[in-house]
């Protein structure tokens, strides 16, 4: 993931640094001894990293007219210059499906860190890159969910998870992957064939069940999915199974009947968590879909599928921030093993930070 985004962001940052180098005049900034001492204490290392004018003023105000220890070359970016150079980055982010809300947040964060601050000339590119990394890292502040713990902690079995999303997003495949993942962790699972709309989907889930040796509860095509879910939960209860994974038909927000059907499944099955399954490659559409589904049912977490074929990764960057919901897993292939727990550090790494 992120191949395009990583290259584009790197290119934009290089161009920004070059622009600043060429177009922003150099200034001399005095670094007072006290400020250096203060920085040393804070950083526990001897460095004269960007020292803000504020700090210098503060020291001067206190009457600590310490002697000038060093004068460094700095550059100060005006708000107008910032807007001009940020455009480079903005385009890189837009081209890679990063949501507008996220771009606004990144712009605001960088502004606070960079505008009107004397930044040591040599530190400029690391400063902007560090600020960007921090800003992106904050995008994943949504509560982290330990699914295994949640399942184990539930007093009365089973823990019920309902998977929702649009057609073809990878719900059925993800259920099979999650079933396999839970089995590996020693959690007993049962799957419910709640997509009673498409002839092939019940069969598809049954085949996964056979291969994984996981029980599947099904009714006939066209039957009420809420009733199948109800039976699945009953069966799990009487067999002491830890978790029930409910498959559902794909639907769009515009189809009110199907949305109402989904609400009914949720009303009857009372899931402990609803997971939205969305395709990473659809970018902003995926972000919008989570919001739209969220108008009907409470979404607890997100699985982003097909991250293996997504070279942009805008949805992965944006969806948690925009919706406030954590990404639980990334689907990254067609095999059962192709699912990974979402890991912020790994994401930042693959972004080149
Ligand atoms: N490359 C890739 N394909 C996937 C992934 N997840 C699902 N698919 C494929 O996407 C297609 C639709 O998946 P399916 O589970 O039937 O979607 P559903 O309609 O939401 O149940 C199938 O061909 C899957 O093999 C993934 O993480 N990576
Ligand atoms: Mg399906």
């Amino acid at each position: 993931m992120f191949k395009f985004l990583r290259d584009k962001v790197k290119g934009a940052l290089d161009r920004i640094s070059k622009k600043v180098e060429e177009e922003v005049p150099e200034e001399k900034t005095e670094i007072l001894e006290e400020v250096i001492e203060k920085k040393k204490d804070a950083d526990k290392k001897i460095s004269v990293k960007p020292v803000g004018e504020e700090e210098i003023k503060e020291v001067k105000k206190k009457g600590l007219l310490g002697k000038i220890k060093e004068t460094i070359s700095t550059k100060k970016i005006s708000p107008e210059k910032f807007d001009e150079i940020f455009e480079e980055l903005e385009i890189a982010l837009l081209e890679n499906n990063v949501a507008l809300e996220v771009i606004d947040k990144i712009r605001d964060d960088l502004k606070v860190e960079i505008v009107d601050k004397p930044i040591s000339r040599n530190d400029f590119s690391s400063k902007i890159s560090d600020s960007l990394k921090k800003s992106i890292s904050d995008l994943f502040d949504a509560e982290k969910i330990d699914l295994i713990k949640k399942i184990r902690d539930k007093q009365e079995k089973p823990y019920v998870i309902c998977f929702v999303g649009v057609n073809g997003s990878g719900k059925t495949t993800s259920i099979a992957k999650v079933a396999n993942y839970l089995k590996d962790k020693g959690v007993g699972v049962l799957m419910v064939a709640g997509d009673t709309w498409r002839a092939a989907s019940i069969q598809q889930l049954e085949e996964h069940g056979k291969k994984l040796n996981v029980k599947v509860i099904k009714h006939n095509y066209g039957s009420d999915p809420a009733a199948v879910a109800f039976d699945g939960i009953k069966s799990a209860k009487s067999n002491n199974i830890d978790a029930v994974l409910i498959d559902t038909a794909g639907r769009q927000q515009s189809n009110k009947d199907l949305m109402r059907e989904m609400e009914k499944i949720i009303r009857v099955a009372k899931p402990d968590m609803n997971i939205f399954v969305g395709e990473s490659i659809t970018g902003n559409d995926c972000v919008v879909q989570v919001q739209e589904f969220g108008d009907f049912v409470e979404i607890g977490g997100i699985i982003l599928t097909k991250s293996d074929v997504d070279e942009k990764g805008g949805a992965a960057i944006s969806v948690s921030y925009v919706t406030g919901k954590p990404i639980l897993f990334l689907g990254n292939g067609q095999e059962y093993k192709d699912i990974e727990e979402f890991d912020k550090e790994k994401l930042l790494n693959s972004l080149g930070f």
Side-chain angles (χ1 to χ4, degrees):
M1 207 165 38
F2 300 132
K3 188 181 171 303
F4 287 162
L5 181 59
R6 188 180 58 231
D7 293 350
K8 288 275 178 186
V9 166
K10 190 178 176 310
L13 291 183
D14 288 348
R15 281 192 300 281
I16 287 174
S17 295
K18 195 155 171 271
K19 247 188 177 155
V20 170
E21 184 60 35
E22 285 169 1
E23 297 171 23
V24 179
E26 240 173 62
E27 295 172 6
K28 296 289 176 201
T29 295
E30 301 167 349
I31 308 293
L32 301 178
E33 196 159 27
E34 284 81 356
V35 176
I36 294 174
E37 291 306 319
K38 233 168 97 182
K39 285 299 279 186
K40 267 197 245 171
D41 279 350
D43 300 350
K44 290 271 172 278
K45 62 181 180 205
I46 304 168
S47 79
V48 206
K49 273 278 157 66
V51 178
E53 272 182 342
E54 289 306 313
E55 274 175 301
I56 294 179
K57 262 193 217 143
E58 186 197 331
V59 173
K60 280 187 171 163
K61 218 167 44 204
K62 281 185 186 156
L64 303 166
L65 288 171
K67 66 175 187 316
I68 294 169
K69 176 96 172 184
E70 211 174 314
T71 304
I72 58 167
S73 301
T74 55
K75 299 225 172 205
K76 206 184 330 178
I77 313 289
S78 67
E80 299 73 37
K81 194 73 194 168
F82 176 84
D83 288 343
E84 187 194 320
I85 60 173
F86 186 77
E87 209 176 82
E88 294 274 350
L89 194 56
E90 185 167 349
I91 292 167
L93 297 172
L94 273 176
E95 280 177 349
N96 284 279
N97 295 336
V98 175
L100 290 176
E101 292 99 312
V102 170
I103 297 179
D104 286 345
K105 178 214 182 289
I106 291 176
R107 184 196 297 109
D108 292 346
D109 288 350
L110 290 189
K111 246 185 181 157
V112 170
E113 294 285 327
I114 286 167
V115 166
D116 280 343
K117 300 243 163 88
I119 295 170
S120 159
R121 195 189 139 204
N122 302 326
D123 287 338
F124 188 82
S125 75
S126 63
K127 175 82 184 166
I128 191 164
S129 164
D130 288 351
S131 305
L132 183 60
K133 177 181 174 181
K134 185 174 176 309
S135 182
I136 291 179
S137 175
D138 292 346
L139 295 171
F140 302 98
D141 280 351
E143 179 209 6
K144 197 168 167 8
I145 291 175
D146 184 341
L147 196 56
I148 305 285
K149 186 169 183 311
K150 280 203 181 277
I151 294 171
R152 294 229 163 95
D153 284 354
K154 188 172 178 195
Q155 298 284 331
E156 205 183 314
K157 286 180 189 179
Y159 189 90
V160 179
I161 308 176
C162 187
F163 293 70
V164 299
V166 304
N167 259 326
S169 65
K171 292 176 293 302
T172 308
T173 310
S174 297
I175 286 175
K177 288 175 178 178
V178 171
N180 185 47
Y181 164 89
L182 292 176
K183 260 189 78 185
D184 275 356
K185 307 260 179 188
V187 175
V189 275
L190 177 153
M191 303 191 288
V192 172
D195 177 359
T196 58
W197 278 82
R198 277 193 316 137
S201 65
I202 298 177
Q203 200 189 339
Q204 188 189 355
L205 198 67
E206 275 191 301
E207 276 167 22
H208 287 311
K210 268 188 211 131
K211 283 189 200 148
L212 293 169
N213 198 20
V214 167
K215 189 170 176 178
V216 174
I217 298 296
K218 59 161 188 170
H219 286 185
N220 292 330
Y221 294 111
S223 59
D224 181 0
V228 201
F230 187 80
D231 273 1
I233 295 166
K234 209 165 74 184
S235 170
K237 265 189 190 139
S238 53
N239 291 292
N240 203 29
I241 289 171
D242 304 309
V244 171
L245 312 180
I246 304 173
D247 195 9
T248 62
R251 64 198 83 220
Q252 302 264 348
Q253 189 236 15
S254 55
N255 191 326
K256 299 291 177 231
D257 286 346
L258 278 174
M259 287 317 240
R260 268 194 290 277
E261 182 204 74
M262 179 175 71
E263 286 176 313
K264 183 178 173 195
I265 302 172
I266 307 286
R267 216 165 41 239
V268 171
K270 299 186 186 65
D272 297 282
M273 185 179 318
N274 299 313
I275 294 183
F276 181 87
V277 181
E279 283 174 287
S280 184
I281 28 174
T282 59
N284 243 337
D285 283 352
C286 174
V287 177
V288 173
Q289 284 159 11
V290 184
Q291 292 173 304
E292 288 176 347
F293 273 68
D295 291 341
F296 293 87
V297 297
E298 199 193 330
I299 304 294
I302 299 162
I303 294 180
L304 279 185
T305 61
K306 313 186 188 182
S307 66
D308 50 315
V309 285
D310 180 14
E311 293 183 309
K312 297 185 168 178
I317 301 262
S318 313
V319 75
S320 258
Y321 178 75
V322 178
T323 65
K325 306 297 174 192
I327 301 172
L328 302 176
F329 296 101
L330 293 177
N332 54 7
Q334 315 236 16
E335 309 283 325
Y336 295 130
K337 62 167 181 35
D338 295 331
I339 185 165
E340 56 179 87
E341 289 170 45
F342 179 75
D343 179 348
K344 176 168 104 173
E345 292 308 320
K346 200 171 163 197
L347 177 136
L348 290 171
N349 262 337
S350 52
L351 266 173
F353 291 122

